[in-house]
Amino acid sequence: AQSVTQLDSQVPVFEEAPVELRCNYSSSVSVYLFWYVQYPNQGLQLLLKYLSGSTLVKGINGFEAEFNKSQTSFHLRKPSVHISDTAEYFCAVSTTGIGTASKLTFGTGTRLQVTL
Amino acid sequence: NAGVTQTPKFRILKIGQSMTLQCTQDMNHNYMYWYRQDPGMGLKLIYYSVGAGITDKGEVPNGYNVSRSTTEDFPLRLELAAPSQTSVYFCASARGQREAFFGQGTRLTVV
């Protein structure tokens, strides 16, 4: 079974500063990886995804993430954050493979708080 | 385009009552999921389905039931509501193991 760990429950950062939100996963088979964002009182919205190919993936709102297979990580980065990036961010994993009834498993989330 | 639609958006239940949370999607996705979200706990998978007629338990299935008679619909049933089921419930759908699309959620309070 796969699992996801988001080590930071909260990350405070000043506006225009860079940010990295950490995500590590565990799986015995190949994976698909995702980052979702949740604004207050809303559902989850996909930020970016890694399915295959280039390990550096770019998403919406200037976010990017890098898949590191050897370190089983998929950290999310943004070079300069804005107040509007304040939200909850979730890392998620599903497994690949023919015939695999894969479940989409989420981490516990990281609250990004951007201040002036 | 509607995507994933959940009803109701809010509900208050008394202990021991039952209800069904409705979820429907119009994207012809084979995978559908039900999650619950509690503060600081992320999303916990309740049940999921890989196609019509096929369902399976997730991490926290106790107290819930599901059915998947059509591709579009995946209702979640609470038979005997308990305070521990107070939560925000999200339905999602996906094409295979790829990215999931989420509904806006149902906020349920059991008193």
Side-chain angles (χ1 to χ4, degrees):
Chain A
Q2 70 267 31
S3 66
V4 179
T5 301
Q6 292 182 249
L7 290 170
D8 305 307
S9 59
Q10 293 188 67
V11 174
V13 64
F14 290 110
E15 192 175 35
E16 298 183 4
V19 70
E20 178 180 84
L21 306 184
R22 296 180 293 169
C23 172
N24 288 89
Y25 69 91
S26 173
S27 175
S28 57
V29 297
S30 297
V31 296
Y32 294 138
L33 293 158
F34 310 89
W35 275 99
Y36 286 84
V37 60
Q38 184 181 33
Y39 299 103
N41 299 314
Q42 294 189 24
L44 277 73
Q45 177 184 359
L46 182 71
L47 264 183
L48 49 78
K49 61 188 177 187
Y50 171 79
L51 303 180
S52 66
S54 173
T55 57
L56 181 64
V57 292
K58 295 188 184 299
I60 61 172
N61 301 339
F63 284 93
E64 63 180 34
E66 185 154 21
F67 170 52
N68 188 320
K69 188 175 181 180
S70 63
Q71 297 192 2
T72 60
S73 68
F74 191 55
H75 300 332
L76 181 69
R77 302 185 183 98
K78 186 169 183 178
S80 176
V81 296
H82 190 268
I83 287 283
S84 60
D85 293 322
T86 294
E88 189 91 18
Y89 291 80
F90 293 94
C91 183
V93 62
S94 65
T95 54
T96 66
I98 297 172
T100 301
S102 173
K103 298 171 285 190
L104 185 61
T105 302
F106 283 84
T108 52
T110 297
R111 170 78 177 165
L112 177 63
Q113 182 69 51
V114 182
T115 55
L116 295 172
Chain B
N1 51 18
V4 178
T5 302
Q6 289 183 239
T7 56
K9 288 188 169 50
F10 303 93
R11 183 71 186 267
I12 298 175
L13 274 185
K14 293 184 178 179
I15 294 172
Q17 286 186 320
S18 62
M19 76 163 294
T20 299
L21 281 66
Q22 302 290 346
C23 176
T24 187
Q25 53 96 4
D26 61 0
M27 297 173 282
N28 200 32
H29 286 166
N30 52 342
Y31 277 62
M32 293 189 75
Y33 303 89
W34 274 107
Y35 294 90
R36 60 176 288 171
Q37 183 178 28
D38 302 298
M41 302 295 290
L43 280 81
K44 298 291 188 185
L45 182 64
I46 305 171
Y47 271 95
Y48 69 108
S49 169
V50 300
I54 306 170
T55 63
D56 206 350
K57 295 178 180 179
E59 302 170 78
V60 290
N62 292 343
Y64 307 94
N65 276 300
V66 294
S67 60
R68 184 94 182 269
S69 56
T70 66
T71 298
E72 295 78 20
D73 300 307
F74 191 43
L76 178 71
R77 178 84 177 161
L78 283 71
E79 288 297 347
L80 290 170
S84 60
Q85 294 177 304
T86 293
S87 189
V88 180
Y89 292 83
F90 287 101
C91 179
S93 71
R95 188 179 309 281
Q97 297 101 323
R98 296 171 182 266
E99 69 268 26
F101 293 81
F102 282 78
Q104 290 300 297
T106 295
R107 188 173 296 273
L108 176 67
T109 302
V110 181
V111 296

